[in-house]
Amino acid sequence: MAEAEESPGDPGTASPRPLVSLGSATKGTEGLSDISISQDIPVEGEITIPMRSRIREFDSSTLNESVRNTIMRDLKAVGKKFMHVLYPRKSNTLLRDWDLWGPLILCVTLALMLQRDSADSEKDGGPQFAEVFVIVWFGAVTITLNSKLLGGNISFFQSLCVLGYCILPLTVAMLICRLVLLADPGPVNFMVRLFVVIVMFAWSIVASTAFLADSQPPNRRALAVYPVFLFYFVISWMILTFTPQ
Amino acid sequence: MSGGEISSRTLQIFFLIIGRRLTGRMAAVDDLQFEEFGNAATSLTANPDATTVNIEDPGETPKHQPGSPRGSGREEDDELLGNDDSDKTELLAGQKKSSPFWTFEYYQTFFDVDTYQVFDRIKGSLLPIPGKNFVRLYIRSNPDLYGPFWICATLVFAIAISGNLSNFLIHLGEKTYHYVPEFRKVSIAATIIYAYAWLVPLALWGFLMWRNSKVMNIVSYSFLEIVCVYGYSLFIYIPTAILWIIPQKAVRWILVMIALGISGSLLAMTFWPAVREDNRRVALATIVTIVLLHMLLSVGCLAYFFDAPEMDHLPTTTATPNQTVAAAKSS
């Protein structure tokens, strides 16, 4: 009665055989590789991969689509997130599909507008391009690390994404300030710029806390929000004190 | 150094105890007094249970090592360390820093504070009362790195921004003055403040550890606690820096005195119990050095970042005739 057959592919037969043939155990040297499930049990049916159609679509479509489509898709995603920052509601779009294109665009724009002219580089003046870039990115990384160390449950890149996108109001303030500075300087000029920067600073804080505050336990919320306040305050100060050379 | 010695000696005691039990002798308490271990004997015999605790974690932070030898005769220091039971339960119940240092959880233990705790610590740093020790009251349970790091960051930007603003206000009327944001000063301020807040505690901790090995001090602080004290003591300088915008010399120096008084007394009262046992001169020199460095920081920041207010009294009209005369002479 040693059914030591190795016949994995047999179709089901009607013979009453035991389910698992242990005969090979007596042979000793063959080991467990000789045990086979009996052919009684027919295996049939369909196996469907649920994501299959989507994968096929991605495989062919994103490789073969035109460059314009790819760029427009990414730009639309970035634009959609800009809208979410400008009208902050409690929605998860910024957190769910995070991307870092928007923060990069905003940071480069801000740094380009804030840098001092190269002609005046020997005099101590405003920040260089690299200094603004470093402040924005290292500030965002530090705040993210702080939030995670305090026990928040937001992921690293989600937090970077939110902080980067919420610079948008301050970039708009920078554009307005540059336009206002084209007019003649004076106290009125300064008051207008001050007002614009204060409003945009408040907008940035509100937008970022709408996204970030929920990720912290309630007894540490203020500890996590204060560095965000300091970060946007420093950027607002750099915008306000910008003087064209 | 002393940590390695004590842990190796506890290992030797442990093996000796095991050896005696195997040979069937009764391990009486007297047997634990071994003559060959000279200076470690007092602390070990006073607390015989300490051997098992030390073996579990031989690399434990130095604050647990001097133990709490009974009969020290100073009630304030007993209060400072808590009584023996609370120390032991704290040691055995929860080893806080149990994760290895390359994991993220290890660093999370330094940020285990709530909002009200940070506020309490800041309030405690603003009101140094002679009876209360800042470390014992606020920090001993839970030293954190949140306070020192963000207070230093705020102070860096407060000094840079206030300095810039005050210079702008001082030179406001002058026609020849062109405002520049002076961004380079932010990096200089950051270097100075962070170096002070981290290197001076390191030096002080090293010094206290060295003195501890020579003189058995009752109170000793871990490195993290010293960083905490220094970080929270710098908090008073944030409103001081903002108030330094006022361009009056007398006001600025009064502010320096007040800030130095508060934070200097906080530091002095914190570190006096740690050096009290020592030679009188060494103790006094330590406290004087701590306060002197603090004063150097505040006066240095005032001098470097804030222009002297007399500059606005320099009459620009007398300067221009000199220039025209000089131009006439040179031509």
Side-chain angles (χ1 to χ4, degrees), chain B residues 7 54 56-62 65:
Chain B
S7 62
N54 276 338
E56 279 170 16
D57 192 359
E60 206 164 8
T61 56
Q65 270 167 11

PDB file of all heavy atoms in Angstrom, chain B residues 7 54 56-62 65:
ATOM      1  N   SER B   7      31.182  48.752  37.141  1.00  0.00           N
ATOM      2  CA  SER B   7      30.467  47.626  36.549  1.00  0.00           C
ATOM      3  C   SER B   7      31.333  46.384  36.545  1.00  0.00           C
ATOM      4  O   SER B   7      30.848  45.285  36.761  1.00  0.00           O
ATOM      5  CB  SER B   7      30.012  47.976  35.147  1.00  0.00           C
ATOM      6  OG  SER B   7      31.117  48.246  34.340  1.00  0.00           O
ATOM      7  N   ASN B  54      22.755  46.982  38.503  1.00  0.00           N
ATOM      8  CA  ASN B  54      23.825  47.449  37.625  1.00  0.00           C
ATOM      9  C   ASN B  54      24.136  46.455  36.545  1.00  0.00           C
ATOM     10  O   ASN B  54      24.534  46.804  35.463  1.00  0.00           O
ATOM     11  CB  ASN B  54      25.079  47.713  38.450  1.00  0.00           C
ATOM     12  CG  ASN B  54      25.011  49.089  39.060  1.00  0.00           C
ATOM     13  OD1 ASN B  54      24.295  49.935  38.569  1.00  0.00           O
ATOM     14  ND2 ASN B  54      25.739  49.288  40.127  1.00  0.00           N
ATOM     15  N   GLU B  56      22.116  44.520  34.957  1.00  0.00           N
ATOM     16  CA  GLU B  56      21.170  44.547  33.853  1.00  0.00           C
ATOM     17  C   GLU B  56      21.569  45.561  32.811  1.00  0.00           C
ATOM     18  O   GLU B  56      21.362  45.383  31.639  1.00  0.00           O
ATOM     19  CB  GLU B  56      19.782  44.911  34.369  1.00  0.00           C
ATOM     20  CG  GLU B  56      19.079  43.739  34.973  1.00  0.00           C
ATOM     21  CD  GLU B  56      17.824  44.214  35.675  1.00  0.00           C
ATOM     22  OE1 GLU B  56      17.386  45.333  35.425  1.00  0.00           O
ATOM     23  OE2 GLU B  56      17.301  43.444  36.482  1.00  0.00           O
ATOM     24  N   ASP B  57      22.138  46.654  33.270  1.00  0.00           N
ATOM     25  CA  ASP B  57      22.492  47.676  32.293  1.00  0.00           C
ATOM     26  C   ASP B  57      23.773  48.338  32.726  1.00  0.00           C
ATOM     27  O   ASP B  57      23.745  49.376  33.366  1.00  0.00           O
ATOM     28  CB  ASP B  57      21.355  48.700  32.193  1.00  0.00           C
ATOM     29  CG  ASP B  57      21.561  49.597  30.974  1.00  0.00           C
ATOM     30  OD1 ASP B  57      22.576  49.408  30.283  1.00  0.00           O
ATOM     31  OD2 ASP B  57      20.716  50.457  30.741  1.00  0.00           O
ATOM     32  N   PRO B  58      24.888  47.719  32.412  1.00  0.00           N
ATOM     33  CA  PRO B  58      26.148  48.282  32.907  1.00  0.00           C
ATOM     34  C   PRO B  58      26.466  49.627  32.301  1.00  0.00           C
ATOM     35  O   PRO B  58      27.215  50.377  32.856  1.00  0.00           O
ATOM     36  CB  PRO B  58      27.193  47.241  32.488  1.00  0.00           C
ATOM     37  CG  PRO B  58      26.539  46.416  31.466  1.00  0.00           C
ATOM     38  CD  PRO B  58      25.085  46.473  31.708  1.00  0.00           C
ATOM     39  N   GLY B  59      25.864  49.943  31.181  1.00  0.00           N
ATOM     40  CA  GLY B  59      26.179  51.228  30.569  1.00  0.00           C
ATOM     41  C   GLY B  59      25.204  52.301  30.955  1.00  0.00           C
ATOM     42  O   GLY B  59      24.911  53.203  30.193  1.00  0.00           O
ATOM     43  N   GLU B  60      24.671  52.225  32.138  1.00  0.00           N
ATOM     44  CA  GLU B  60      23.598  53.145  32.511  1.00  0.00           C
ATOM     45  C   GLU B  60      24.140  54.537  32.712  1.00  0.00           C
ATOM     46  O   GLU B  60      25.324  54.735  32.918  1.00  0.00           O
ATOM     47  CB  GLU B  60      22.992  52.645  33.824  1.00  0.00           C
ATOM     48  CG  GLU B  60      21.557  53.075  33.984  1.00  0.00           C
ATOM     49  CD  GLU B  60      20.889  52.268  35.065  1.00  0.00           C
ATOM     50  OE1 GLU B  60      21.566  51.518  35.748  1.00  0.00           O
ATOM     51  OE2 GLU B  60      19.682  52.451  35.204  1.00  0.00           O
ATOM     52  N   THR B  61      23.244  55.497  32.651  1.00  0.00           N
ATOM     53  CA  THR B  61      23.680  56.889  32.757  1.00  0.00           C
ATOM     54  C   THR B  61      24.271  57.157  34.123  1.00  0.00           C
ATOM     55  O   THR B  61      23.830  56.598  35.115  1.00  0.00           O
ATOM     56  CB  THR B  61      22.499  57.829  32.542  1.00  0.00           C
ATOM     57  OG1 THR B  61      21.489  57.504  33.485  1.00  0.00           O
ATOM     58  CG2 THR B  61      21.944  57.639  31.151  1.00  0.00           C
ATOM     59  N   PRO B  62      25.233  58.031  34.171  1.00  0.00           N
ATOM     60  CA  PRO B  62      25.988  58.221  35.418  1.00  0.00           C
ATOM     61  C   PRO B  62      25.135  58.696  36.574  1.00  0.00           C
ATOM     62  O   PRO B  62      25.536  58.570  37.708  1.00  0.00           O
ATOM     63  CB  PRO B  62      27.018  59.281  35.045  1.00  0.00           C
ATOM     64  CG  PRO B  62      27.128  59.213  33.579  1.00  0.00           C
ATOM     65  CD  PRO B  62      25.793  58.777  33.070  1.00  0.00           C
ATOM     66  N   GLN B  65      24.643  56.125  39.244  1.00  0.00           N
ATOM     67  CA  GLN B  65      25.735  55.372  39.844  1.00  0.00           C
ATOM     68  C   GLN B  65      26.123  55.787  41.253  1.00  0.00           C
ATOM     69  O   GLN B  65      26.342  54.917  42.084  1.00  0.00           O
ATOM     70  CB  GLN B  65      26.968  55.440  38.965  1.00  0.00           C
ATOM     71  CG  GLN B  65      26.971  54.323  37.976  1.00  0.00           C
ATOM     72  CD  GLN B  65      28.002  54.547  36.913  1.00  0.00           C
ATOM     73  OE1 GLN B  65      28.826  55.431  37.050  1.00  0.00           O
ATOM     74  NE2 GLN B  65      27.957  53.758  35.880  1.00  0.00           N
TER      75      GLN B  65
END
